[in-house]
Amino acid sequence: VSKKAKMCAADHVKQYPLGVLHSDGGKLFCTYCNVTVDHRKSSVDRHLDSSTHRTRKVEIQSTTANDSLAKKQKTLTSSTENREAQNYLNFELTEMFVCANIPFEKLDNKKLRKFLRWHAANGGAIHLSAQLRREYLPKVVECHKQEIMELIKWSGSLSVVTDQSTDSQDQYVLHILFVLQGLNGEDASDSELKAVLTDTMYLQAVNYNTVSQAIVKCLNTFGVDFNISAFISDSATYMSKAYNRVPQGLMPNSVHLTCNAYIVVLASDIWSTILPEVDKLIASKKVFKYCPSRKLHFKEHLQSAVQAVGSNLCVKLPHEPVKTRWGNWYAATEYHAQYITFYLTFVEEEMEITPNTEVLKELKQLLDNSETLQVQLNLITRYGKKLVDLIKWLESHEIRVHQAYNKVFDETLKGEQHSSNTGIQNQCIETFTEVADKLTSYYDPDSRGRTSHFTQPAHQFLEAVRVFDPLQVCTLNLDTLPLDSIPGLNRSCRTELESYRFYAKECNRELSLTAFWRSAKPHFPNIANLAKQYLSVVPNSVDA
C-alpha cells in the first residue's frame, strides 16, 4: 500500500493554507462551503478552484476576521454518500416547498441562504431556485405520480371526481380527483374514502369536448384500466354531456352522480327567494362590516345591550354570507335571529351621526317590521338546521352512498305542525315543504315531469345500492328495486341474493360494512365484489 493511500484527513488539511480545510471524525471538510470533500488532491483542487467556493469564501471573509471561527459541521461518510445526501436534501426541500405552496424564488434571498449555510445541516448544499425547478421538480412530480399509481393498484376501484373553476387570473381550471377506498385493506374498521388530487388542467374553453379529453388524458397518464365505479360532477349540462359522449363508453361499469350536497343547496335556495326581507337583512353586511368605526360601535352596542338584558350571549360580529360556502346563509340567519332585537336602537343612533346614509335608511325601513323578521328568522333557524346538517352529512368521507337515498327521503325533511296557526308560521312551513318537495323531485323525476337536466342521474342507482347494506336488505322489496341500475349485477349475483339476505339476518349487527363483506366474500363472491366496488362511490364532489 502506498504512503499516499495511508494519509488521513488531518494530513490533507496540512497541505493547504490554515482555515481552508478541516477534519472531523476522519472526514475532510471545506470550511467555507460546509461540505465534505474527497481526499484525492485533484478533487480538493477542483473544488477550491470552483466559482461556488470562491464566492462563499469572499462572503465569509467579509463577515468574520478569523477564518478559523467558521462553523464546522459533520455530514456523511464518503463523497458518494455525501452527493446522495445533497440530492435527497434538495429533493425533500423541493417537495416541501410544493406542498406548502412556497415560491422557489424565496431560496434566492441572500439573508435566507446565509442563514441556511450557517445554521442548517448541509445548508451549503441547497441549490438556487432555477436548479431546483429544473432538476428536482420533475422528480417530485414523478414521485407523486408513482405514489398515486401505487394507491390505485392497492385500492382496486376508484371514483373520478371533477369540477371546473377559475384561478386568480380568470383562467379556466379543471380539477380531477380520484377517490380511493380502504375496503380492500386489512383493517376491517377502515371506512374512510380518500380523495387524491391527480391533475389540475388549464382549459382554453369549457365544454363537453375539452372536459372529456382532459379526463381521458388523466386516466391514461395514471394507467387506470377504466375499471371505474363512478363519475361525480356538478349538474352543469356540459359535464353530463362530457360523460355521456366519451367517458361512459370507456367506463362501462360506472355511474354518473351529480353532487348530492350541491343538490340540497339548490333546493334550499327557495328560502331566500320566498323570504326576500330576510335575504335583504343578511345582505346588509355593509352596515355591520365595512366601516371600521361603525363596526366598533356595533360591537360595543351589542355588548352593552346584552349585559342590560342579563343575557349570556357571546358577542361577535355578523357572519358574512358567501355563495360558494354551502350552509353559510343559514349560519347568518341564526346569528341575526339572536341579535335582531338590538339592531333598531343601533341603527337609530348611527342615523343621528350620519343621517344621509342610504344603507342605514334601508335597514331602518326593514327593521320597522322586526317582529315579523324575528319569527321568520326563528323558523328558518329551526328548519334550516336540518338542511345544513344534511349538507354536512353528505360531505362526509365515510362510506355512506348506501344511506344517501334514505337520508334525502328522511321524515325529518317534512314540515312540522304547530298549534298556533299564524300566517308567518304557515308561510315558513309551506316554504320548507316546498324545499323538501323540490329535493325529493331530484330523486324521483318520473312523478314530477322534470327534465333530465334537473335530476340526479343516479337516483335509481342510489335507491338500488342499498341492497349492499346488510341492515337494509332484509327490509327491501327486491322485486321493485331497480337492480338493473347497478352495473355488473348479472344472473350470478341474482342467484346469490336470497342466500345473502338470509345470511344478513343472522350476522352480527355491530359489524362494520367492511368487516361484513370481508367475512361474506367466500359465501357470495359475486355480490361481495360488486359491494366493494360500489360502496366506495363518494356521493359528493366537495373535495374537487
Side-chain angles (χ1 to χ4, degrees):
V1 181
S2 66
K3 180 180 178 181
K4 184 177 179 180
K6 294 181 180 179
M7 290 180 66
C8 63
D11 296 327
H12 286 287
V13 171
K14 297 174 183 178
Q15 293 179 337
Y16 294 89
L18 180 66
V20 175
L21 302 174
H22 69 272
S23 63
D24 192 345
K27 311 301 179 289
L28 186 64
F29 292 83
C30 172
T31 302
Y32 296 109
C33 300
N34 280 336
V35 295
T36 56
V37 184
D38 191 83
H39 285 209
R40 289 173 296 183
K41 190 175 187 302
S42 60
S43 299
V44 176
D45 291 340
R46 188 162 55 250
H47 172 76
L48 296 180
D49 194 46
S50 67
S51 60
T52 303
H53 171 81
R54 291 199 300 270
T55 301
R56 290 175 181 170
K57 181 180 178 182
V58 171
E59 290 177 358
I60 291 177
Q61 285 179 339
S62 64
T63 56
T64 177
N66 188 358
D67 292 344
S68 63
L69 294 178
K71 288 195 173 183
K72 305 173 183 180
Q73 61 182 27
K74 301 178 182 180
T75 53
L76 297 174
T77 58
S78 69
S79 60
T80 303
E81 291 177 342
N82 183 53
R83 282 194 296 272
E84 291 177 356
Q86 291 178 16
N87 287 334
Y88 182 74
L89 170 66
N90 284 287
F91 177 87
E92 288 282 296
L93 185 71
T94 304
E95 188 175 42
M96 181 272 292
F97 268 50
V98 171
C99 293
N101 199 24
I102 301 174
F104 288 120
E105 287 74 15
K106 298 292 184 184
L107 282 172
D108 298 337
N109 182 276
K110 290 183 180 180
K111 281 284 185 182
L112 177 61
R113 296 197 67 80
K114 179 181 176 182
F115 175 85
L116 292 174
R117 280 199 304 272
W118 283 82
H119 299 286
N122 251 347
I126 295 175
H127 296 322
L128 293 169
S129 62
Q131 193 171 357
L132 288 180
R133 193 181 288 107
R134 182 177 63 252
E135 295 183 15
Y136 294 96
L137 185 58
K139 295 177 183 178
V140 170
V141 173
E142 184 61 28
C143 182
H144 177 66
K145 176 184 172 183
Q146 294 300 325
E147 288 176 355
I148 293 176
M149 292 174 72
E150 283 297 317
L151 287 173
I152 292 170
K153 188 186 300 181
W154 173 81
S155 179
S157 64
L158 58 89
S159 302
V160 177
V161 183
T162 185
D163 192 25
Q164 177 269 330
S165 184
T166 54
D167 66 2
S168 58
Q169 299 177 351
D170 286 334
Q171 298 180 92
Y172 296 119
V173 181
L174 183 71
H175 302 292
I176 302 176
L177 290 76
F178 292 164
V179 177
L180 313 173
Q181 47 82 33
L183 211 53
N184 291 336
E186 296 298 325
D187 184 5
S189 65
D190 186 7
S191 61
E192 287 288 317
L193 298 167
K194 184 175 183 179
V196 180
L197 177 63
T198 54
D199 213 338
T200 299
M201 298 186 178
Y202 287 91
L203 305 178
Q204 295 297 323
V206 178
N207 53 54
Y208 82 92
N209 194 29
T210 56
V211 170
S212 58
Q213 287 178 358
I215 293 168
V216 172
K217 181 181 178 181
C218 180
L219 294 175
N220 288 331
T221 300
F222 288 92
V224 179
D225 59 1
F226 300 108
N227 184 25
I228 294 168
S229 305
F231 176 80
I232 298 99
S233 68
D234 58 22
S235 57
T237 304
Y238 66 86
M239 281 293 185
S240 299
K241 195 173 181 181
Y243 173 76
N244 294 331
R245 292 294 179 92
V246 181
Q248 187 178 24
L250 299 174
M251 304 181 288
N253 293 324
S254 66
V255 292
H256 179 208
L257 282 91
T258 55
C259 179
N260 285 282
Y262 183 57
I263 287 176
V264 177
V265 174
L266 289 177
S268 58
D269 281 347
I270 294 174
W271 279 108
S272 58
T273 304
I274 294 182
L275 302 174
E277 294 84 4
V278 173
D279 198 44
K280 284 180 183 177
L281 176 65
I282 292 172
S284 61
K285 53 190 176 186
K286 293 180 182 177
V287 176
F288 305 103
K289 296 281 286 188
Y290 293 152
C291 179
S293 60
R294 186 180 295 147
K295 183 164 60 174
L296 180 62
H297 179 205
F298 177 67
K299 192 169 184 180
E300 291 173 349
H301 173 80
L302 283 187
Q303 286 175 338
S304 60
V306 166
Q307 289 174 0
V309 297
S311 174
N312 58 356
L313 280 175
C314 178
V315 174
K316 53 188 177 180
L317 290 172
H319 287 269
E320 185 171 352
V322 181
K323 286 283 186 183
T324 54
R325 295 178 186 172
W326 300 342
N328 197 258
W329 191 85
Y330 294 102
T333 61
E334 186 176 359
Y335 174 90
H336 290 300
Q338 288 179 318
Y339 295 103
I340 191 174
T341 54
F342 310 125
Y343 290 173
L344 188 58
T345 52
F346 164 74
V347 173
E348 289 172 347
E349 290 173 5
E350 284 295 308
M351 288 183 72
E352 290 179 3
I353 302 171
T354 54
N356 295 322
T357 306
E358 196 62 34
V359 289
L360 288 174
K361 290 179 181 178
E362 291 175 1
L363 186 56
K364 171 69 166 59
Q365 211 170 24
L366 199 62
L367 292 173
D368 286 338
N369 197 17
S370 59
E371 291 184 5
T372 302
L373 276 173
Q374 181 75 70
V375 175
Q376 290 177 341
L377 287 167
N378 290 340
L379 289 171
I380 294 171
T381 300
R382 178 176 186 175
Y383 289 111
K385 187 178 185 303
K386 299 174 183 177
L387 293 171
V388 174
D389 291 343
L390 180 59
I391 292 170
K392 290 179 179 178
W393 187 89
L394 291 168
E395 290 175 343
S396 171
H397 287 84
E398 293 183 16
I399 295 177
R400 287 181 169 178
V401 69
H402 59 290
Q403 298 172 334
Y405 185 86
N406 290 347
K407 195 71 175 179
V408 172
F409 287 99
D410 195 279
E411 289 296 323
T412 58
L413 289 178
K414 296 181 180 178
E416 298 177 16
Q417 299 300 319
H418 293 264
S419 56
S420 57
N421 193 22
T422 66
I424 298 172
Q425 286 178 331
N426 283 339
Q427 183 186 16
C428 288
I429 295 168
E430 288 171 7
T431 302
F432 189 88
T433 304
E434 188 174 341
V435 172
D437 289 343
K438 185 178 178 182
L439 186 58
T440 304
S441 68
Y442 279 102
Y443 296 86
D444 190 15
D446 297 334
S447 63
R448 303 280 174 174
R450 299 174 68 87
T451 61
S452 59
H453 172 61
F454 296 104
T455 61
Q456 167 60 270
H459 62 275
Q460 289 189 329
F461 169 79
L462 293 173
E463 182 181 359
V465 78
R466 298 177 298 165
V467 76
F468 297 132
D469 183 4
L471 299 180
Q472 293 190 64
V473 68
C474 303
T475 62
L476 298 175
N477 185 351
L478 299 185
D479 294 331
T480 60
L481 211 62
L483 296 177
D484 292 335
S485 62
I486 302 176
L489 200 144
N490 52 27
R491 184 179 298 177
S492 300
C493 296
R494 290 177 183 274
T495 57
E496 295 177 355
L497 278 177
E498 284 303 324
S499 301
Y500 155 55
R501 289 184 74 175
F502 180 78
Y503 181 84
K505 288 180 183 178
E506 303 297 322
C507 76
N508 184 355
R509 293 283 171 149
E510 296 181 358
L511 278 177
S512 67
L513 270 180
T514 51
F516 173 83
W517 284 111
R518 194 170 287 113
S519 64
K521 187 172 182 178
H523 308 288
F524 323 106
N526 295 300
I527 297 181
N529 288 332
L530 281 183
K532 287 181 179 181
Q533 182 172 355
Y534 293 111
L535 286 175
S536 64
V537 171
V538 62
N540 66 77
S541 61
V542 173
D543 290 303

